Amino acid sequence: MLREVARAHDVEFLDLRNLFDGHEACANRARQATAANSLQNPLPGDISEWTRFLVVLESQGQAQESVHPNYYGQQAIGTCLTQLWDHKGTEKNHSCTGTPGRGPAEVTLTSSE
C-alpha cells in the first residue's frame, strides 16, 4: 500500500521488509548478540542477529515490546542507504535484502518499476 502511495505522489519508495532476512530476532540461522558475548569478543555480523528487543517498563514477552536494529542492523541500514544514494538509475521503487550467513556490508539493493 505504501508503494502505491509513493507512486501516486511521484516519490521514491524503499522497501526494507527483507533487510534483516536470516538475522531477525530469534532467527534459526543467527545467534543472539548479547552482553554475555562482551565487547571484547563480539559475534561477527554474518552469524549474529541484527535486531534486539526493546522493552520499556515491562519484561521481555510483553505486548508493549518492540524490535529495534542493533549495531549490525544499523550497519545494514547504512549499507542500503549508501547503495540507494549511489544508485544512478531512474527507477523509483527499491528494496534492500539481507542474506543469511552474510554480514551487513553485503546487503543488496534491487530496483524495479
PDB file of all heavy atoms in Angstrom, residues 40-70:
ATOM      1  N   GLN A  40      34.665  -7.402  24.139  1.00  0.00           N
ATOM      2  CA  GLN A  40      35.985  -7.922  23.812  1.00  0.00           C
ATOM      3  C   GLN A  40      35.915  -9.080  22.818  1.00  0.00           C
ATOM      4  O   GLN A  40      36.876  -9.357  22.121  1.00  0.00           O
ATOM      5  CB  GLN A  40      36.719  -8.391  25.072  1.00  0.00           C
ATOM      6  CG  GLN A  40      37.120  -7.278  26.007  1.00  0.00           C
ATOM      7  CD  GLN A  40      35.954  -6.776  26.844  1.00  0.00           C
ATOM      8  OE1 GLN A  40      34.997  -7.488  27.095  1.00  0.00           O
ATOM      9  NE2 GLN A  40      36.015  -5.517  27.244  1.00  0.00           N
ATOM     10  N   ASN A  41      34.781  -9.759  22.748  1.00  0.00           N
ATOM     11  CA  ASN A  41      34.648 -10.921  21.874  1.00  0.00           C
ATOM     12  C   ASN A  41      33.256 -10.933  21.237  1.00  0.00           C
ATOM     13  O   ASN A  41      32.494 -11.860  21.446  1.00  0.00           O
ATOM     14  CB  ASN A  41      34.892 -12.206  22.682  1.00  0.00           C
ATOM     15  CG  ASN A  41      34.990 -13.409  21.793  1.00  0.00           C
ATOM     16  OD1 ASN A  41      35.324 -13.307  20.629  1.00  0.00           O
ATOM     17  ND2 ASN A  41      34.679 -14.564  22.343  1.00  0.00           N
ATOM     18  N   PRO A  42      32.917  -9.903  20.443  1.00  0.00           N
ATOM     19  CA  PRO A  42      31.571  -9.846  19.861  1.00  0.00           C
ATOM     20  C   PRO A  42      31.382 -10.890  18.763  1.00  0.00           C
ATOM     21  O   PRO A  42      32.342 -11.322  18.118  1.00  0.00           O
ATOM     22  CB  PRO A  42      31.502  -8.440  19.286  1.00  0.00           C
ATOM     23  CG  PRO A  42      32.916  -8.101  18.975  1.00  0.00           C
ATOM     24  CD  PRO A  42      33.727  -8.776  20.039  1.00  0.00           C
ATOM     25  N   LEU A  43      30.144 -11.294  18.566  1.00  0.00           N
ATOM     26  CA  LEU A  43      29.833 -12.174  17.446  1.00  0.00           C
ATOM     27  C   LEU A  43      29.994 -11.394  16.146  1.00  0.00           C
ATOM     28  O   LEU A  43      29.659 -10.213  16.093  1.00  0.00           O
ATOM     29  CB  LEU A  43      28.385 -12.656  17.536  1.00  0.00           C
ATOM     30  CG  LEU A  43      28.037 -13.629  18.645  1.00  0.00           C
ATOM     31  CD1 LEU A  43      26.533 -13.889  18.660  1.00  0.00           C
ATOM     32  CD2 LEU A  43      28.784 -14.933  18.464  1.00  0.00           C
ATOM     33  N   PRO A  44      30.483 -12.034  15.092  1.00  0.00           N
ATOM     34  CA  PRO A  44      30.564 -11.326  13.808  1.00  0.00           C
ATOM     35  C   PRO A  44      29.170 -11.133  13.206  1.00  0.00           C
ATOM     36  O   PRO A  44      28.240 -11.890  13.502  1.00  0.00           O
ATOM     37  CB  PRO A  44      31.428 -12.246  12.948  1.00  0.00           C
ATOM     38  CG  PRO A  44      31.353 -13.586  13.590  1.00  0.00           C
ATOM     39  CD  PRO A  44      31.070 -13.362  15.046  1.00  0.00           C
ATOM     40  N   GLY A  45      29.023 -10.129  12.355  1.00  0.00           N
ATOM     41  CA  GLY A  45      27.736  -9.784  11.779  1.00  0.00           C
ATOM     42  C   GLY A  45      27.141 -10.823  10.855  1.00  0.00           C
ATOM     43  O   GLY A  45      25.942 -10.823  10.612  1.00  0.00           O
ATOM     44  N   ASP A  46      27.958 -11.733  10.336  1.00  0.00           N
ATOM     45  CA  ASP A  46      27.405 -12.734   9.425  1.00  0.00           C
ATOM     46  C   ASP A  46      26.629 -13.829  10.146  1.00  0.00           C
ATOM     47  O   ASP A  46      25.790 -14.494   9.536  1.00  0.00           O
ATOM     48  CB  ASP A  46      28.502 -13.348   8.546  1.00  0.00           C
ATOM     49  CG  ASP A  46      29.623 -14.002   9.339  1.00  0.00           C
ATOM     50  OD1 ASP A  46      29.783 -13.691  10.535  1.00  0.00           O
ATOM     51  OD2 ASP A  46      30.357 -14.817   8.751  1.00  0.00           O
ATOM     52  N   ILE A  47      26.861 -14.013  11.447  1.00  0.00           N
ATOM     53  CA  ILE A  47      26.129 -15.048  12.187  1.00  0.00           C
ATOM     54  C   ILE A  47      25.262 -14.478  13.298  1.00  0.00           C
ATOM     55  O   ILE A  47      24.575 -15.218  13.993  1.00  0.00           O
ATOM     56  CB  ILE A  47      27.088 -16.103  12.783  1.00  0.00           C
ATOM     57  CG1 ILE A  47      28.028 -15.478  13.810  1.00  0.00           C
ATOM     58  CG2 ILE A  47      27.840 -16.830  11.685  1.00  0.00           C
ATOM     59  CD1 ILE A  47      28.822 -16.487  14.617  1.00  0.00           C
ATOM     60  N   SER A  48      25.254 -13.174  13.458  1.00  0.00           N
ATOM     61  CA  SER A  48      24.542 -12.536  14.558  1.00  0.00           C
ATOM     62  C   SER A  48      23.163 -12.047  14.134  1.00  0.00           C
ATOM     63  O   SER A  48      22.910 -11.766  12.965  1.00  0.00           O
ATOM     64  CB  SER A  48      25.355 -11.339  15.050  1.00  0.00           C
ATOM     65  OG  SER A  48      24.685 -10.675  16.086  1.00  0.00           O
ATOM     66  N   GLU A  49      22.266 -11.927  15.117  1.00  0.00           N
ATOM     67  CA  GLU A  49      21.009 -11.219  14.890  1.00  0.00           C
ATOM     68  C   GLU A  49      21.330  -9.755  14.652  1.00  0.00           C
ATOM     69  O   GLU A  49      22.306  -9.226  15.184  1.00  0.00           O
ATOM     70  CB  GLU A  49      20.093 -11.335  16.115  1.00  0.00           C
ATOM     71  CG  GLU A  49      19.616 -12.732  16.397  1.00  0.00           C
ATOM     72  CD  GLU A  49      18.798 -12.818  17.678  1.00  0.00           C
ATOM     73  OE1 GLU A  49      18.813 -11.874  18.494  1.00  0.00           O
ATOM     74  OE2 GLU A  49      18.145 -13.849  17.859  1.00  0.00           O
ATOM     75  N   TRP A  50      20.501  -9.083  13.856  1.00  0.00           N
ATOM     76  CA  TRP A  50      20.704  -7.666  13.578  1.00  0.00           C
ATOM     77  C   TRP A  50      19.660  -6.813  14.291  1.00  0.00           C
ATOM     78  O   TRP A  50      19.550  -5.624  14.043  1.00  0.00           O
ATOM     79  CB  TRP A  50      20.643  -7.397  12.091  1.00  0.00           C
ATOM     80  CG  TRP A  50      21.773  -8.017  11.312  1.00  0.00           C
ATOM     81  CD1 TRP A  50      22.858  -8.683  11.801  1.00  0.00           C
ATOM     82  CD2 TRP A  50      21.917  -8.016   9.903  1.00  0.00           C
ATOM     83  NE1 TRP A  50      23.664  -9.096  10.788  1.00  0.00           N
ATOM     84  CE2 TRP A  50      23.107  -8.709   9.594  1.00  0.00           C
ATOM     85  CE3 TRP A  50      21.161  -7.515   8.859  1.00  0.00           C
ATOM     86  CZ2 TRP A  50      23.554  -8.893   8.299  1.00  0.00           C
ATOM     87  CZ3 TRP A  50      21.601  -7.705   7.572  1.00  0.00           C
ATOM     88  CH2 TRP A  50      22.789  -8.378   7.285  1.00  0.00           C
ATOM     89  N   THR A  51      18.886  -7.425  15.164  1.00  0.00           N
ATOM     90  CA  THR A  51      17.861  -6.713  15.918  1.00  0.00           C
ATOM     91  C   THR A  51      17.935  -7.113  17.378  1.00  0.00           C
ATOM     92  O   THR A  51      18.556  -8.117  17.723  1.00  0.00           O
ATOM     93  CB  THR A  51      16.447  -7.033  15.395  1.00  0.00           C
ATOM     94  OG1 THR A  51      16.209  -8.437  15.536  1.00  0.00           O
ATOM     95  CG2 THR A  51      16.277  -6.620  13.954  1.00  0.00           C
ATOM     96  N   ARG A  52      17.292  -6.314  18.210  1.00  0.00           N
ATOM     97  CA  ARG A  52      17.193  -6.663  19.623  1.00  0.00           C
ATOM     98  C   ARG A  52      15.833  -6.225  20.119  1.00  0.00           C
ATOM     99  O   ARG A  52      15.181  -5.366  19.528  1.00  0.00           O
ATOM    100  CB  ARG A  52      18.294  -6.000  20.438  1.00  0.00           C
ATOM    101  CG  ARG A  52      18.212  -4.490  20.465  1.00  0.00           C
ATOM    102  CD  ARG A  52      19.371  -3.910  21.257  1.00  0.00           C
ATOM    103  NE  ARG A  52      19.351  -2.471  21.223  1.00  0.00           N
ATOM    104  CZ  ARG A  52      18.769  -1.708  22.145  1.00  0.00           C
ATOM    105  NH1 ARG A  52      18.162  -2.259  23.162  1.00  0.00           N
ATOM    106  NH2 ARG A  52      18.790  -0.406  22.043  1.00  0.00           N
ATOM    107  N   PHE A  53      15.402  -6.842  21.190  1.00  0.00           N
ATOM    108  CA  PHE A  53      14.138  -6.451  21.801  1.00  0.00           C
ATOM    109  C   PHE A  53      14.332  -5.142  22.539  1.00  0.00           C
ATOM    110  O   PHE A  53      15.348  -4.930  23.190  1.00  0.00           O
ATOM    111  CB  PHE A  53      13.655  -7.519  22.782  1.00  0.00           C
ATOM    112  CG  PHE A  53      13.200  -8.769  22.101  1.00  0.00           C
ATOM    113  CD1 PHE A  53      13.978  -9.913  22.124  1.00  0.00           C
ATOM    114  CD2 PHE A  53      11.993  -8.799  21.426  1.00  0.00           C
ATOM    115  CE1 PHE A  53      13.558 -11.073  21.500  1.00  0.00           C
ATOM    116  CE2 PHE A  53      11.570  -9.955  20.792  1.00  0.00           C
ATOM    117  CZ  PHE A  53      12.358 -11.090  20.829  1.00  0.00           C
ATOM    118  N   LEU A  54      13.383  -4.268  22.433  1.00  0.00           N
ATOM    119  CA  LEU A  54      13.394  -3.004  23.149  1.00  0.00           C
ATOM    120  C   LEU A  54      12.207  -3.040  24.101  1.00  0.00           C
ATOM    121  O   LEU A  54      11.061  -3.036  23.681  1.00  0.00           O
ATOM    122  CB  LEU A  54      13.268  -1.833  22.174  1.00  0.00           C
ATOM    123  CG  LEU A  54      13.362  -0.443  22.756  1.00  0.00           C
ATOM    124  CD1 LEU A  54      14.720  -0.224  23.405  1.00  0.00           C
ATOM    125  CD2 LEU A  54      13.130   0.591  21.681  1.00  0.00           C
ATOM    126  N   VAL A  55      12.493  -3.143  25.382  1.00  0.00           N
ATOM    127  CA  VAL A  55      11.456  -3.300  26.388  1.00  0.00           C
ATOM    128  C   VAL A  55      11.405  -2.043  27.250  1.00  0.00           C
ATOM    129  O   VAL A  55      12.425  -1.565  27.718  1.00  0.00           O
ATOM    130  CB  VAL A  55      11.737  -4.538  27.271  1.00  0.00           C
ATOM    131  CG1 VAL A  55      10.652  -4.710  28.300  1.00  0.00           C
ATOM    132  CG2 VAL A  55      11.882  -5.778  26.412  1.00  0.00           C
ATOM    133  N   VAL A  56      10.210  -1.515  27.427  1.00  0.00           N
ATOM    134  CA  VAL A  56      10.030  -0.320  28.243  1.00  0.00           C
ATOM    135  C   VAL A  56       9.097  -0.653  29.407  1.00  0.00           C
ATOM    136  O   VAL A  56       7.944  -0.992  29.204  1.00  0.00           O
ATOM    137  CB  VAL A  56       9.432   0.841  27.417  1.00  0.00           C
ATOM    138  CG1 VAL A  56       9.222   2.060  28.279  1.00  0.00           C
ATOM    139  CG2 VAL A  56      10.328   1.144  26.228  1.00  0.00           C
ATOM    140  N   LEU A  57       9.616  -0.600  30.614  1.00  0.00           N
ATOM    141  CA  LEU A  57       8.854  -0.806  31.852  1.00  0.00           C
ATOM    142  C   LEU A  57       8.185  -2.167  31.985  1.00  0.00           C
ATOM    143  O   LEU A  57       7.324  -2.353  32.819  1.00  0.00           O
ATOM    144  CB  LEU A  57       7.786   0.290  31.997  1.00  0.00           C
ATOM    145  CG  LEU A  57       8.302   1.724  32.037  1.00  0.00           C
ATOM    146  CD1 LEU A  57       7.131   2.684  32.069  1.00  0.00           C
ATOM    147  CD2 LEU A  57       9.225   1.961  33.204  1.00  0.00           C
ATOM    148  N   GLU A  58       8.530  -3.099  31.185  1.00  0.00           N
ATOM    149  CA  GLU A  58       7.971  -4.443  31.270  1.00  0.00           C
ATOM    150  C   GLU A  58       9.086  -5.453  31.027  1.00  0.00           C
ATOM    151  O   GLU A  58      10.186  -5.103  30.650  1.00  0.00           O
ATOM    152  CB  GLU A  58       6.868  -4.639  30.222  1.00  0.00           C
ATOM    153  CG  GLU A  58       5.673  -3.726  30.371  1.00  0.00           C
ATOM    154  CD  GLU A  58       4.779  -4.108  31.550  1.00  0.00           C
ATOM    155  OE1 GLU A  58       4.777  -5.273  31.959  1.00  0.00           O
ATOM    156  OE2 GLU A  58       4.085  -3.213  32.055  1.00  0.00           O
ATOM    157  N   SER A  59       8.781  -6.704  31.188  1.00  0.00           N
ATOM    158  CA  SER A  59       9.768  -7.734  30.894  1.00  0.00           C
ATOM    159  C   SER A  59       9.566  -8.249  29.472  1.00  0.00           C
ATOM    160  O   SER A  59       8.527  -8.043  28.858  1.00  0.00           O
ATOM    161  CB  SER A  59       9.648  -8.878  31.901  1.00  0.00           C
ATOM    162  OG  SER A  59       8.380  -9.483  31.784  1.00  0.00           O
ATOM    163  N   GLN A  60      10.570  -8.919  28.947  1.00  0.00           N
ATOM    164  CA  GLN A  60      10.507  -9.429  27.587  1.00  0.00           C
ATOM    165  C   GLN A  60       9.301 -10.341  27.424  1.00  0.00           C
ATOM    166  O   GLN A  60       8.977 -11.126  28.301  1.00  0.00           O
ATOM    167  CB  GLN A  60      11.792 -10.184  27.258  1.00  0.00           C
ATOM    168  CG  GLN A  60      11.897 -10.569  25.805  1.00  0.00           C
ATOM    169  CD  GLN A  60      13.277 -11.075  25.469  1.00  0.00           C
ATOM    170  OE1 GLN A  60      14.244 -10.706  26.103  1.00  0.00           O
ATOM    171  NE2 GLN A  60      13.360 -11.909  24.477  1.00  0.00           N
ATOM    172  N   GLY A  61       8.641 -10.250  26.285  1.00  0.00           N
ATOM    173  CA  GLY A  61       7.474 -11.068  26.011  1.00  0.00           C
ATOM    174  C   GLY A  61       6.168 -10.316  26.217  1.00  0.00           C
ATOM    175  O   GLY A  61       5.109 -10.843  25.937  1.00  0.00           O
ATOM    176  N   GLN A  62       6.243  -9.082  26.670  1.00  0.00           N
ATOM    177  CA  GLN A  62       5.045  -8.281  26.880  1.00  0.00           C
ATOM    178  C   GLN A  62       4.584  -7.657  25.566  1.00  0.00           C
ATOM    179  O   GLN A  62       5.368  -7.460  24.649  1.00  0.00           O
ATOM    180  CB  GLN A  62       5.307  -7.179  27.910  1.00  0.00           C
ATOM    181  CG  GLN A  62       5.763  -7.694  29.256  1.00  0.00           C
ATOM    182  CD  GLN A  62       4.674  -8.524  29.932  1.00  0.00           C
ATOM    183  OE1 GLN A  62       3.502  -8.206  29.865  1.00  0.00           O
ATOM    184  NE2 GLN A  62       5.077  -9.609  30.568  1.00  0.00           N
ATOM    185  N   ALA A  63       3.324  -7.308  25.476  1.00  0.00           N
ATOM    186  CA  ALA A  63       2.744  -6.731  24.264  1.00  0.00           C
ATOM    187  C   ALA A  63       3.371  -5.391  23.908  1.00  0.00           C
ATOM    188  O   ALA A  63       3.387  -5.000  22.751  1.00  0.00           O
ATOM    189  CB  ALA A  63       1.240  -6.571  24.431  1.00  0.00           C
ATOM    190  N   GLN A  64       3.910  -4.670  24.891  1.00  0.00           N
ATOM    191  CA  GLN A  64       4.485  -3.353  24.635  1.00  0.00           C
ATOM    192  C   GLN A  64       5.876  -3.412  24.013  1.00  0.00           C
ATOM    193  O   GLN A  64       6.417  -2.410  23.607  1.00  0.00           O
ATOM    194  CB  GLN A  64       4.570  -2.546  25.942  1.00  0.00           C
ATOM    195  CG  GLN A  64       3.243  -2.231  26.544  1.00  0.00           C
ATOM    196  CD  GLN A  64       2.736  -3.373  27.421  1.00  0.00           C
ATOM    197  OE1 GLN A  64       3.389  -4.402  27.577  1.00  0.00           O
ATOM    198  NE2 GLN A  64       1.561  -3.197  27.980  1.00  0.00           N
ATOM    199  N   GLU A  65       6.470  -4.581  23.955  1.00  0.00           N
ATOM    200  CA  GLU A  65       7.841  -4.676  23.472  1.00  0.00           C
ATOM    201  C   GLU A  65       7.894  -4.510  21.951  1.00  0.00           C
ATOM    202  O   GLU A  65       6.947  -4.801  21.238  1.00  0.00           O
ATOM    203  CB  GLU A  65       8.408  -6.007  23.946  1.00  0.00           C
ATOM    204  CG  GLU A  65       8.930  -6.938  22.928  1.00  0.00           C
ATOM    205  CD  GLU A  65       9.295  -8.272  23.539  1.00  0.00           C
ATOM    206  OE1 GLU A  65       9.854  -8.320  24.625  1.00  0.00           O
ATOM    207  OE2 GLU A  65       9.020  -9.265  22.895  1.00  0.00           O
ATOM    208  N   SER A  66       8.993  -4.010  21.465  1.00  0.00           N
ATOM    209  CA  SER A  66       9.196  -3.872  20.033  1.00  0.00           C
ATOM    210  C   SER A  66      10.600  -4.346  19.696  1.00  0.00           C
ATOM    211  O   SER A  66      11.396  -4.663  20.578  1.00  0.00           O
ATOM    212  CB  SER A  66       8.987  -2.421  19.604  1.00  0.00           C
ATOM    213  OG  SER A  66       9.938  -1.597  20.233  1.00  0.00           O
ATOM    214  N   VAL A  67      10.906  -4.403  18.423  1.00  0.00           N
ATOM    215  CA  VAL A  67      12.216  -4.841  17.964  1.00  0.00           C
ATOM    216  C   VAL A  67      12.909  -3.654  17.312  1.00  0.00           C
ATOM    217  O   VAL A  67      12.300  -2.892  16.561  1.00  0.00           O
ATOM    218  CB  VAL A  67      12.075  -6.019  16.980  1.00  0.00           C
ATOM    219  CG1 VAL A  67      13.420  -6.425  16.431  1.00  0.00           C
ATOM    220  CG2 VAL A  67      11.402  -7.199  17.659  1.00  0.00           C
ATOM    221  N   HIS A  68      14.187  -3.491  17.616  1.00  0.00           N
ATOM    222  CA  HIS A  68      14.956  -2.345  17.141  1.00  0.00           C
ATOM    223  C   HIS A  68      16.263  -2.847  16.535  1.00  0.00           C
ATOM    224  O   HIS A  68      16.843  -3.815  17.033  1.00  0.00           O
ATOM    225  CB  HIS A  68      15.248  -1.430  18.344  1.00  0.00           C
ATOM    226  CG  HIS A  68      15.858  -0.140  17.974  1.00  0.00           C
ATOM    227  ND1 HIS A  68      17.219   0.030  17.837  1.00  0.00           N
ATOM    228  CD2 HIS A  68      15.298   1.057  17.701  1.00  0.00           C
ATOM    229  CE1 HIS A  68      17.474   1.285  17.504  1.00  0.00           C
ATOM    230  NE2 HIS A  68      16.331   1.930  17.415  1.00  0.00           N
ATOM    231  N   PRO A  69      16.759  -2.220  15.462  1.00  0.00           N
ATOM    232  CA  PRO A  69      18.050  -2.635  14.900  1.00  0.00           C
ATOM    233  C   PRO A  69      19.173  -2.446  15.917  1.00  0.00           C
ATOM    234  O   PRO A  69      19.226  -1.431  16.599  1.00  0.00           O
ATOM    235  CB  PRO A  69      18.253  -1.684  13.718  1.00  0.00           C
ATOM    236  CG  PRO A  69      16.931  -1.077  13.446  1.00  0.00           C
ATOM    237  CD  PRO A  69      16.155  -1.122  14.718  1.00  0.00           C
ATOM    238  N   ASN A  70      20.052  -3.440  16.021  1.00  0.00           N
ATOM    239  CA  ASN A  70      21.224  -3.302  16.877  1.00  0.00           C
ATOM    240  C   ASN A  70      22.379  -2.733  16.035  1.00  0.00           C
ATOM    241  O   ASN A  70      22.160  -2.183  14.954  1.00  0.00           O
ATOM    242  CB  ASN A  70      21.585  -4.644  17.534  1.00  0.00           C
ATOM    243  CG  ASN A  70      21.978  -5.714  16.527  1.00  0.00           C
ATOM    244  OD1 ASN A  70      22.267  -5.447  15.369  1.00  0.00           O
ATOM    245  ND2 ASN A  70      21.980  -6.962  16.975  1.00  0.00           N
TER     246      ASN A  70
END
